Amino acid sequence: MGPSVEAVPETLLSLGGLVADVPQELQALARQFSLPQQRVLEELDGVGVSLGSTLHSQLRSTVHPALASVLSLGHALQVSVDHLQALNATSVGLQERQDDLRPAVGAHRDHLLALLQEPGCRGCADALGMAGALELGADFSQLPPVADVLLRLKGAPEANFSRMVREENSTFNNLPLLAALQTADVVRELQKAVARQPEELRTLARAFPGSEAASRWSQALGEAARGSRPYLREAQRYERYRWIAGCVLCSALLLVVACNLLGLGLGTWGLATREDPSHAEPRAEAGARLLMAGAGLGFLLAAPLVLLVLAAFLLGGNVQTLVCRGWARGELYEFADTPGNLPASLNLSHLLGLRKNVSVRLAYQQCREGAALWRVLQLNDSYDLERHLDISQYTAKLRQELRRLQVDVRDLDLLSPAARRDLEALRRSGLEQVPYADFLAQIRKPVVTVDVETLAQELEGLARAQGNVALGLQLQEAARALRSLYRERVLPQQGLVAKLNLSVQALASTAPGLQVETSEVLGRVTYLKGDLPARAASILRNESECLLAREMGYFSQYVAWVREEVTQHIATCQPLSGALDNGRVLLCDMLADPWNATWLCLAWCALLLVPSVVFAVKAAKYFRPVRKRLSSTSSEETQLFTIPRVTALTL
């Protein structure tokens, strides 16, 4: 009975607390609105940087290639201008040197022809042919002029493309910070709007119509719990008496069993060791006395035990039949619903302060099915939960503020005015129209048609082969003069030709594509200048909608959670039906069933005491000496033992 006694007030108090806590829990649910608020406020703290980062990541694939092409084009412009200037300077230098080189080559040719044609010159035929061919190969006066192209590119490049691209990259990479600065005021207004709690949630608990009924029900359950405690203390006191009586009764029954078992054991042992049946054996005598003691104690316990079984049967049987069986079948709830069976003060509708009568049986069934409390108590018409969860005005304010988020990217020029002028000059320069083929045609020709070094070596050989010493000396002097001409005039001219070739090759390979690339870059930059603000506005609009959807998702999730908590957990009466079922378990399963099991066991004990007494009396006489069981008539058997005659049989 101990657990049952302790569970009664706890069950009543838990029910009272369950009902009384509904308004407080509704208030707690309303206060939980701070969780989505805090989540939204945290996200709003970095919304400017987030928007800027999104802009940067989505525009990066457009801006970075454009800036890279501008930088590459600026570098190509610088290289082209350098090559064009080198080409012009080299052409002028070649023409000037050619004017000085032509008479010198002619003078050497005429002098060599005169020497080699002298009659005494030995083996001079080959050298004479080479000397006759000694003349200029390339005519650099035929090189086309590039002064007009240089004039169009005068002052280019005016802009520092590398620094400009670095600055534009820095501006673009600082877009998150720029967005944070530009949206700071709007974000502050948004945070103020988010920090306000909707008025509908403030009235969620105050407008709950069951608050007064819940208070009355909680008060009734609390009074019942407090009123039950004196009776429960008495029950605990009687429980102690029950333990004492049970221990005494069980000890007495065990004593009867112990006497019988010990008597049987000693008696049997005595009979087994006794040689003469007429002699008294102490162990057999002790066994007989123990059996008689057990029989006497059983006779004394039989009557009280029967009376105890009768009283326990009447109480336990009636509780099982009238209460427990009807409670399990629901008949007890029908009895409570029948008018007049219970006082008006115990009516469920009166206890809850409801206008409509509520069937206890129907309420119990609905509560077991997990129905909502206001459905069981018919409160749906008097409490509109959805109206208190409607935060559309709150979210409309947030939507209005979010649409004000704007980021201005017009500072991102991609191309400065000076750089634009440079590229326009490059596009109009006509660099691709220069006749580079004419340059290459003259470059492919040698500066001098004859290899001067070879001719000088030939002259030195002829000088050693001559018999005429004076002619030999003249040939050696002519060879030295040729080498001097080669070092001082031909080699520098060849160096200029190589330099000219480098510039011509570079310009010829890049000029056609450079013009196309310049036009494309200018067109792309011009397009992006007008397109970037529109794309940025579109990206911001999409991001704002995504942000709004995410924030509204937090609030929608909160509203759905509150609706579920109110309708399925807080405002459900399933714990009430569970409490009734627990009460039936306490009374019937934990009290009545053990009580009935107890009197049934006692009944079996009382029933078995009668044959126990008869058996003990019958068994005891067999453990006494045989002489005490003989009659007064003589027989052959008694005469053999010369047993005195007795007049009565002692039991």
Side-chain angles (χ1 to χ4, degrees), residues 391-635:
I391 57 174
S392 57
Q393 295 182 354
Y394 178 82
T395 56
K397 178 65 175 176
L398 299 184
R399 184 176 287 105
Q400 180 181 358
E401 293 293 335
L402 276 172
R403 287 175 178 170
R404 294 175 52 203
L405 289 174
Q406 297 293 334
V407 178
D408 188 5
V409 296
R410 286 178 295 181
D411 292 338
L412 190 63
D413 288 332
L414 299 181
L415 200 63
S416 66
R420 183 177 293 275
R421 288 194 298 269
D422 287 338
L423 296 184
E424 290 288 351
L426 177 61
R427 186 175 62 175
R428 295 191 303 266
S429 65
L431 188 64
E432 77 284 358
Q433 297 175 0
V434 174
Y436 298 105
D438 295 344
F439 282 94
L440 294 175
Q442 296 300 323
I443 290 171
R444 292 190 183 99
K445 296 178 181 180
V447 175
V448 180
T449 57
V450 176
D451 188 354
V452 178
E453 282 287 332
T454 303
L455 180 57
Q457 291 177 1
E458 184 70 20
L459 291 176
E460 290 176 348
L462 287 176
R464 288 191 297 271
Q466 297 302 318
N468 188 347
V469 177
L471 181 60
L473 292 175
Q474 291 179 352
L475 289 175
Q476 288 183 353
E477 183 63 28
R480 285 195 296 272
L482 278 177
R483 282 196 171 90
S484 177
L485 176 68
Y486 180 75
R487 288 193 302 270
E488 295 176 359
R489 297 188 180 185
V490 175
L491 279 179
Q493 192 79 336
Q494 289 178 347
L496 290 176
V497 170
K499 184 178 180 181
L500 178 66
N501 182 49
L502 179 63
S503 298
V504 170
Q505 293 288 351
L507 290 173
S509 62
T510 60
L514 192 61
Q515 299 301 310
V516 176
E517 184 182 357
T518 303
S519 299
E520 291 179 353
V521 168
L522 285 173
R524 188 188 312 167
V525 169
T526 303
Y527 171 76
L528 289 179
K529 179 65 177 177
D531 183 60
L532 281 179
R535 288 186 60 185
S538 176
I539 293 171
L540 282 175
R541 185 167 53 253
N542 293 335
E543 285 300 307
S544 299
E545 292 298 328
C546 292
L547 177 63
L548 179 63
R550 186 166 64 249
E551 311 309 338
M552 294 305 103
Y554 296 147
F555 294 121
S556 299
Q557 185 178 6
Y558 166 78
V559 169
W561 173 72
V562 171
R563 184 184 296 111
E564 181 181 1
E565 288 293 316
V566 171
T567 57
Q568 299 184 18
H569 299 287
I570 292 179
T572 181
C573 65
Q574 195 169 19
L576 300 178
S577 63
L580 292 175
D581 292 338
N582 291 339
R584 183 181 61 80
V585 171
L586 292 176
L587 178 62
C588 299
D589 296 347
M590 298 183 68
L591 293 179
D593 288 350
W595 181 276
N596 291 327
T598 300
W599 68 254
L600 182 61
C601 293
L602 293 177
W604 278 105
C605 291
L607 183 63
L608 293 176
L609 276 177
V610 176
S612 173
V613 171
V614 175
F615 175 77
V617 172
K618 289 292 185 182
K621 68 180 181 178
Y622 289 103
F623 298 149
R624 301 183 184 276
V626 176
R627 53 186 166 80
K628 295 184 179 181
R629 294 189 288 108
L630 297 178
S631 63
S632 59
T633 58
S634 300
S635 64

Side-chain angles (χ1 to χ4, degrees), residues 210-229:
S211 299
E212 184 179 355
S215 177
R216 293 182 180 180
W217 196 357
S218 176
Q219 184 178 1
L221 291 172
E223 291 177 356
R226 289 189 295 272
S228 67
R229 292 188 182 278

Side-chain angles (χ1 to χ4, degrees), residues 18 25 44 359 454 485:
L18 175 67
E25 291 182 350
L44 288 178
S359 170
T454 303
L485 176 68

